[in-house]
Amino acid sequence: MEKVRVRFAPSPTGPLHIGGARSALFNYLFAKKLGGQFILRIEDTDLERSSCASEKNILDSLRWLGIEWDEGPDVGGPYAPYRQTERLESYQSYVNRMMKTGHCYYCFCSEEELEQERQELMAKGELPRYLGKCRSLTPEEQARLRALGRQPVVRFRVPPGQTVVVDDLVRGQVLFESDGIGDFVVVKSDSIPTYNFAVVIDDLTMGITHIIRAEEHLSNTPRQILVYQALGAPLPQFAHISLILGKDRSKMSKRHGATSVMQYREMGYLPEALVNFLALLGWAPEGEQEIFSLEELIQEFSLDRVAKNPAVFDMDKLHWINGHYIRHTPVERLTQLGTPYLQKAGYLPQTLTTAEEDLACRIFRVLQSYLTCLSQVVDYAPLFFADTVDQSPEAQEVLAEAQVPAVVDLLTRKLNEAPELTPEVVKGILKSITKELKLGGRQVFLPVRAAVTGQVHGPELHDIIPIIGRERVFSRLARFGG
RNA sequence: GGCCCGUUGGUCAAGUGGUCUAAGACACCGGCCUUUCACGCCGGUAACAGGGGUUCGAAUCCCCUACGGGUCACCA
């Protein structure tokens, strides 16, 4: 069997979108599952909107997710270059060929003329498309127009009365009538090829076997197929995956909140969590497993388990998955990834002493089951770093109880006497207080928690008191003593 | 508007004519664990868009309607 070669071909017009990441992921999984190659190609023929920064963002985002490419703009490969603006010559010969065979022709219509044509068609209630005005210009007419300084575009001559069949691996056969497609531009007046043409040539010359991309490209596919046919080239396999929708069921966009991979990274999502989540959007494994490593996904992935219907981006589930990965990752890694949030918020300095590193590690150990994303550590930070804490209404209620001053005084004394504060020591102290004052656990633990943290909920007291440290604990307890 | 795609609980989804009085997960609710919360464990509520066919039998096949989405550029 022919070796599988797939590609992810983003245009560098913005940061990598969550939808793009999923397309890349599906391509990657498909390739790796079948022992094929995953190629990254940059489609930068839109000179206006393309930027190096966006390209870098896309590469960084993919790498962060753990999606590695076998060939691409930065790593090279046997079909280099992998940036369309660097492959301009490669398109020219194909244009010439189609020009010679009559599949293409020059069109001198100006934008104004086209706009007018569009308006007229719309006014008549017909579908706006190019009517083929320049289809049969004689060489003389062409020369005259060129002499006027008109820069022509090259259009593809769409054959009339044809049914174009898109054989799609996820959607089955999809039929299009060629009459519904106007002669489309293949080379722009600045002599840069358009998307619909460049993709075909690149996929063809790079030996791409399967084109897995978002559904929004489905209606472009008949145009591309027409080009393949004009060239007498074999068709690759197509697979159009459904879109990712926002909460309101329209295509995911900025107004739905975070849409780029990097935003999720900044919010403290782990790459493996995002990958796991994205894989489950529009694809379902055979069993009932929900948590998958990249390796497992590669094992399990198959295009025929990809859904046809669009999927709503479910933030709740992402949170759950991320929380799961946070709970299951080593504290050292959590600390490493999470400490920058503490630094950015000013709780810790840019460069850490060994003691501060240790402190951060202890904080993350305690918070591990509380966080659903790393940035939330900042919400808990005052608990560990503030000299005084505000009491919640519930905490105030608890602190009004009669036994509180005695408990606080005794705790203060015992903490003071302890040579060192460790979880074991604090645990013992708290227990001894219940005994000495003959109080129920609740009557001791709850007020202590309220006084020390300002909350009635939170991690084990014996874990957090040593982290908070004697000084701060005393300053928080002070107001509640007898 | 034309063309195209889609429609199983709030969400992700399994399901490819009988084993569906429809799986699992998230969310939600309840219980257990625990000094509290979180975690974890156990349990519960909740769905085949509507209407016609085909068939002994339909979530599964066909048609229509409704709704949602995509696309109609010298953007990709």
Side-chain angles (χ1 to χ4, degrees):
Chain A
M1 200 186 98
E2 187 181 17
K3 194 147 194 215
V4 165
R5 287 176 60 81
V6 298
R7 85 306 195 275
F8 174 56
S11 51
T13 54
L16 181 63
H17 189 269
I18 216 76
R22 189 184 57 149
S23 295
L25 177 63
F26 281 20
N27 273 286
Y28 174 82
L29 295 176
F30 181 75
K32 295 301 130 189
K33 164 91 183 187
L34 271 38
Q37 309 274 261
F38 173 62
I39 290 102
L40 178 64
R41 184 176 71 225
I42 300 297
E43 311 222 322
D44 55 351
T45 54
D46 184 345
L47 273 21
E48 301 286 308
R49 299 196 300 147
S50 296
S51 74
C52 293
S54 295
E55 182 182 316
K56 183 179 185 309
N57 177 290
I58 291 167
L59 268 59
D60 290 347
S61 297
L62 289 173
R63 285 224 169 83
W64 177 69
L65 288 170
I67 299 173
E68 299 282 339
W69 46 99
D70 300 298
E71 301 168 26
D74 58 336
V75 298
Y79 298 85
Y82 292 90
R83 219 175 262 118
Q84 289 189 324
T85 50
E86 293 166 13
R87 320 185 99 238
L88 262 21
E89 329 77 75
S90 119
Y91 307 117
Q92 192 53 50
S93 64
Y94 286 94
V95 175
N96 294 149
R97 214 162 110 189
M98 294 205 294
M99 214 47 133
K100 232 170 268 170
T101 54
H103 288 290
C104 286
Y105 62 89
Y106 287 112
C107 168
F108 292 83
C109 294
S110 65
E111 278 185 55
E112 296 74 51
E113 288 169 324
L114 292 169
E115 185 51 32
Q116 200 189 335
E117 179 175 277
R118 218 169 291 146
Q119 294 301 331
E120 284 170 12
L121 281 169
M122 298 243 270
K124 280 195 284 183
E126 288 178 42
L127 70 156
R129 74 203 149 108
Y130 181 68
L131 291 176
K133 193 161 146 196
C134 301
R135 269 191 158 186
S136 39
L137 250 31
T138 62
E140 293 72 40
E141 287 170 313
Q142 288 191 17
R144 185 178 58 81
L145 286 160
R146 268 185 208 280
L148 288 171
R150 291 265 187 120
Q151 282 298 315
V153 299
V154 178
R155 280 185 189 274
F156 184 84
R157 193 186 304 272
V158 175
Q162 259 195 35
T163 301
V164 183
V165 181
V166 179
D167 240 313
D168 196 282
L169 256 20
V170 348
R171 327 201 84 89
Q173 284 203 339
V174 184
L175 273 36
F176 293 89
E177 294 306 322
S178 69
D179 293 341
I181 306 169
D183 291 354
F184 53 93
V185 174
V186 140
V187 181
K188 302 183 243 183
S189 55
D190 59 3
S191 70
I192 305 282
T194 60
Y195 162 74
N196 277 128
F197 177 62
V199 250
V200 173
I201 305 309
D202 286 338
D203 288 334
L204 189 61
T205 55
M206 290 183 173
I208 301 301
T209 57
H210 300 258
I211 297 178
I212 304 167
R213 57 179 22 165
E215 189 191 347
E216 54 193 324
H217 293 286
L218 182 55
S219 41
N220 274 318
T221 308
R223 292 182 179 80
Q224 294 163 24
I225 288 181
L226 254 13
V227 175
Y228 278 102
Q229 288 173 342
L231 260 18
L235 291 178
Q237 294 266 24
F238 292 99
H240 288 90
I241 61 182
S242 59
L243 266 15
I244 297 179
L245 271 29
K247 258 231 140 19
D248 63 354
R249 307 206 125 261
S250 69
K251 191 169 149 183
M252 187 85 158
S253 68
K254 297 105 248 154
R255 71 201 156 81
H256 293 111
T259 52
S260 73
V261 169
M262 283 306 179
Q263 281 174 292
Y264 284 90
R265 176 184 179 166
E266 279 155 26
M267 288 187 285
Y269 290 90
L270 302 183
E272 60 271 36
L274 198 53
V275 162
N276 195 151
F277 173 69
L278 254 19
L280 258 21
L281 274 188
W283 171 80
E286 263 182 66
E288 288 176 357
Q289 191 177 341
E290 299 280 338
I291 300 297
F292 291 90
S293 66
L294 235 203
E295 287 310 308
E296 290 173 313
L297 286 172
I298 291 170
Q299 280 308 309
E300 296 294 318
F301 190 78
S302 135
L303 272 182
D304 45 53
R305 295 192 67 82
V306 170
K308 299 192 217 319
N309 53 313
V312 172
F313 191 90
D314 183 3
M315 200 54 110
D316 283 333
K317 186 139 183 181
L318 209 211
H319 267 107
W320 174 75
I321 292 181
N322 200 235
H324 174 92
Y325 279 97
I326 285 179
R327 271 170 257 133
H328 292 261
T329 208
V331 211
E332 293 69 34
R333 173 162 182 253
L334 212 56
T335 306
Q336 192 195 341
L337 295 175
T339 302
Y341 295 95
L342 256 16
Q343 292 170 312
K344 228 170 291 165
Y347 290 107
L348 288 173
Q350 271 319 108
T351 48
L352 302 182
T353 62
T354 316
E356 283 163 338
E357 274 175 23
D358 184 56
L359 172 66
C361 188
R362 292 204 282 165
I363 288 174
F364 281 99
R365 190 187 307 280
V366 159
L367 256 24
Q368 195 159 20
S369 73
Y370 285 81
L371 302 175
T372 55
C373 64
L374 293 173
S375 61
Q376 288 170 344
V377 69
V378 173
D379 302 333
Y380 290 94
L383 184 64
F384 304 105
F385 293 100
D387 288 326
T388 57
V389 289
D390 294 328
Q391 259 67 34
S392 72
E394 296 86 351
Q396 288 175 24
E397 223 171 283
V398 167
L399 288 165
E401 288 170 19
Q403 83 284 14
V404 171
V407 170
V408 168
D409 285 343
L410 188 53
L411 174 66
T412 307
R413 209 187 75 217
K414 283 181 180 274
L415 287 177
N416 221 346
E417 286 166 359
E420 194 194 358
L421 292 191
T422 65
E424 293 70 35
V425 168
V426 175
K427 204 170 185 174
I429 289 176
L430 288 168
K431 199 162 184 192
S432 70
I433 293 175
T434 61
K435 274 190 192 147
E436 286 175 38
L437 297 181
K438 296 195 168 58
L439 291 168
R442 199 185 171 82
Q443 288 169 290
V444 172
F445 284 90
L446 208 52
V448 169
R449 174 179 297 286
V452 174
T453 72
Q455 304 288 321
V456 292
H457 304 305
E460 301 283 3
L461 280 173
H462 58 254
D463 282 331
I464 56 174
I465 284 177
I467 299 176
I468 297 168
R470 233 186 285 248
E471 292 299 302
R472 287 201 181 95
V473 170
F474 286 156
S475 81
R476 292 180 195 182
L477 284 176
R479 336 166 11 200
F480 304 103

